[in-house]
Every structure is written in structure tokens, then in C-alpha cells.
Amino acid sequence: MTAPQSQPCSRDFPGDIQAAAEAEAWLTSQSIALGLGPDTEFAINLCVEELFLNAVQHGHAKRATISIWNEPDGVRLEFVDDGGPFDPSDASVKRISGPTDDFEIGGFGAGLVRKFSRRLSYRRSDGHNRLLLEFGAARDANAGPEAPHTT
């Protein structure tokens, strides 16, 4: 059964590290309201946390806006920030090779976003990064091959 299309629900957040937790809590409540399963909720929160923290820490974003809505075939999320240009669909992906108890943290975020979203598209307009992520609603978001990416 597919969820009916819904109007986007949006919220603005300040560009600081503490707001990432606030965004995650808001997304959890939105996921419940949209009837999303726990795997989809986890995938959405993981991706947004990665995007949010990178926008603030590396892109020096002062603001981020998150919008989420149901579509007949899944759920869409738009993440918009005013930080420096960064296209995660074009970023190099770092892979873990060898024991995980001594690897260097960092550089894995673009790969995580690609892995946990079904599709990712990016555009830069009016001084903003605009990312559209698609997820399968109420399905195991971890299943299947790495998501195709479009720009």
C-alpha cells in the first residue's frame, strides 16, 4: 500500500551544532505523523544529521531548512542550506578497508547519504545548496543497491 501524497511540512533551523539534535527530534515527529516505518525514519535521520553537521562545520551555514512529504511511491525530503557549495552526489566516497577499531573518522558522510537514500539530487541556486532525497516509505531503507544519483 502506498501513502497518499501530502503537502510538504517545513521548518527552519539555525546553523549551529545544537540545532542538529532539534532537527532530528522534529524529523522523528514528522516521520510518525507520515506513518513511516522505523527503518525509513532511521535512514532519514542519519542522512539529515550528516548533511546538517557538514553544512554547519564545513560549509559554515547560518541557516538550514528541512521539508518532508509523502509521495505515492515513498517520501521526499529537501535539505536547503546557505553554506558554501557542496554536492554530495559528486563527492568522493571513502570506504572502510581493514579493521574498524583503528580507522580515521571523517570522509564517510557522502557515502552514507548515498547508501541510505533511494535517490539524491543536488542543485545550487541563489546562494543555497538544495538537496532532494528520496526514501522508500515504510520499507527497509537499508535494502537494495546504492541509490542512483542525479544532479
Side-chain angles (χ1 to χ4, degrees):
M1 182 169 143
T2 59
Q5 187 169 349
S6 65
Q7 293 295 317
C9 188
S10 299
R11 181 152 171 211
D12 292 327
F13 296 91
D16 59 51
I17 300 299
Q18 295 77 18
E22 187 180 336
E24 186 175 342
W26 179 77
L27 279 170
T28 296
S29 69
Q30 294 305 307
S31 294
I32 292 167
L34 292 172
L36 303 179
D39 289 337
T40 303
E41 179 186 330
F42 174 81
I44 289 170
N45 278 331
L46 180 72
C47 290
V48 169
E49 179 181 16
E50 185 61 38
L51 294 171
F52 201 104
L53 293 175
N54 280 338
V56 171
Q57 292 176 321
H58 303 294
H60 308 290
K62 303 289 182 234
R63 266 212 90 73
T65 301
I66 301 170
S67 303
I68 188 169
W69 65 97
N70 269 332
E71 292 282 344
D73 65 339
V75 65
R76 304 290 190 279
L77 182 137
E78 184 180 45
F79 183 89
V80 179
D81 71 80
D82 62 358
F86 178 68
D87 180 356
S89 69
D90 193 37
S92 62
V93 176
K94 194 171 168 183
R95 305 243 184 243
I96 297 173
S97 58
T100 58
D101 54 341
D102 64 350
F103 74 95
E104 186 176 322
I105 293 175
F108 297 98
L112 284 173
V113 172
R114 291 179 195 174
K115 170 74 177 159
F116 282 90
S117 62
R118 185 169 62 190
R119 183 181 310 269
L120 164 68
S121 62
Y122 170 85
R123 69 184 169 94
R124 177 85 179 171
S125 66
D126 300 323
H128 291 83
N129 296 302
R130 298 178 183 278
L131 291 154
L132 180 63
L133 288 85
E134 299 176 13
F135 300 89
R139 291 190 293 267
D140 184 359
N142 298 319
E146 187 169 288
H149 309 314
T150 59
T151 54

